[in-house]
Amino acid sequence: MNKIHAAITAVHGYAPDYVLTNKELETMVDTTDEWITTRTGIKERRILKGEGLGTTDMAMHAVNGLLEKRGISAEEIDMIVFCTTTPDLSFPASANILGDKVGAKNAWGYDVQAACSGFIYGLTIGSQFIETGKHKKVLVVAGDKMSSIIDYTDRTTCIIFGDGCGAVLLEPNYEGLGVMDSILRSDGSGIKHLHQKAGGSIKPATHETIDNREHYVYQEGQAVFKFAVTNMADVAAEIMDRNNLTADDVAWLVPHQANKRIIDATANRMGVGTDKVMVNIERYGNTTNGTIPLCLWEWEDKLKKGDNVVLAAFGGGFTWGSVYLKWAY
C-alpha cells in the first residue's frame, strides 16, 4: 500500500469587518502612515468588535465555510488542533469551545501555543494523526484576537497586529501529495524579547499588574527582527536543501506575515522571486497564528494540484519552523 500523506483538502478564512487604518492609528499614537508602511509593509488591519466575542467566534466562521466548501458535516471531524495565543479562556481549551459551536460532536482536540509559528506546529501535529491512520479528518484551526492583548498607547506593538483566523482540513492522500516534510525549532531564551508580563501563574492579575499595563504584548522589536530574519530564512532554505528543491521547483512560498522585510529576506535566501510569494500583510497586519492559513485561503484559486509549497514562520518563544507540502487539489 502507498504511504499515507496528510493532505490539505479544504481551506477557509475569516477576517472581521472593522478596518483599522494607519491613518486612524495616527490619531491614537505618535506615528505616521509613512513610518508604519516603510518599516512593516502594513497599511491596515482588521479588528474584532462586539461584546463577548473571542477567537473562537472568528474560528467558527472559518470552519463553517470550510465544511460547506468540502461538503461534509461537522460530525465527520475526528480531531481539532486549535493554534492560538489568545484563547477565549484559560480553560477549557478553545478547541473544545469551537467544537461545540460548530457541532463537531465526535471530535476531540486541544490548543497549541507556539505564538506566530502555531499553524506550522499544528499542521505537523495534525499530520501525524492522519499518517498513522488513526484519523481520517483533522481540522487545524489557527487565529488570534490580538486586539485583546495589544496596548493601543504603545506604538511599538499596536501598529503591527490584527485579528483573523484560518482553518484547513487534513485528510489521507495516497498519491504522494500533502505534507512531505517539516522542521520545527524553539529557543526559550528568547522570552525576554517577546512576552506578556502578567496574567499567568507566576504573576496572576492584580490591581497593580493592570495599572502597570502588564497584560499586553511586550516586544523588543529590534531583537525580535534580528532573530526572525535569520532563523525564518535559514529554516526555509534548510527544508529546500533537505528535499532537493531548487527555487524553480517551488511554486509558492507562504511566509508568516510579521514584517515585509522579514518576508523579503526569506524569499531572497530561498532564491524565490516575489511573484511566488504570498503576501497580504498590507491588509491584515500580523494576525499571529492566522497569517499562513489566511494566505492559503486568499490564494486558493491560484494553487494547482502538485504545486510544491513551502511554509515558514517565526514567533515568540522563540519558535520557528518550515513545512514542505505538495498541494493536493
Side-chain angles (χ1 to χ4, degrees), residues 23-99:
K23 286 295 182 185
E24 185 174 352
L25 279 173
E26 287 180 355
T27 69
M28 299 163 64
V29 291
D30 182 16
T31 192
T32 66
D33 171 51
E34 189 272 337
W35 193 93
I36 297 170
T37 305
T38 301
R39 285 160 180 78
T40 69
I42 302 167
K43 298 294 288 186
E44 59 189 39
R45 67 289 293 147
R46 303 296 184 92
I47 304 296
L48 182 64
K49 299 277 191 177
E51 190 70 28
L53 295 179
T55 302
T56 65
D57 293 289
M58 296 187 291
M60 178 180 65
H61 289 293
V63 170
N64 284 336
L66 179 151
L67 294 173
E68 182 180 353
K69 188 185 293 183
R70 187 71 181 96
I72 61 173
S73 75
E75 293 183 359
E76 295 178 57
I77 301 301
D78 299 307
M79 179 185 183
I80 300 171
V81 182
F82 201 120
C83 315
T84 186
T85 301
T86 54
D88 286 10
L89 302 165
S90 294
F91 73 92
S94 290
N96 297 348
I97 298 171
L98 174 65

Side-chain angles (χ1 to χ4, degrees), residues 132-148:
T132 60
K134 181 76 174 177
H135 292 317
K136 298 295 185 188
K137 289 179 171 61
V138 175
L139 274 178
V140 181
V141 184
D144 279 292
K145 183 185 175 183
M146 290 303 294
S147 60
S148 67

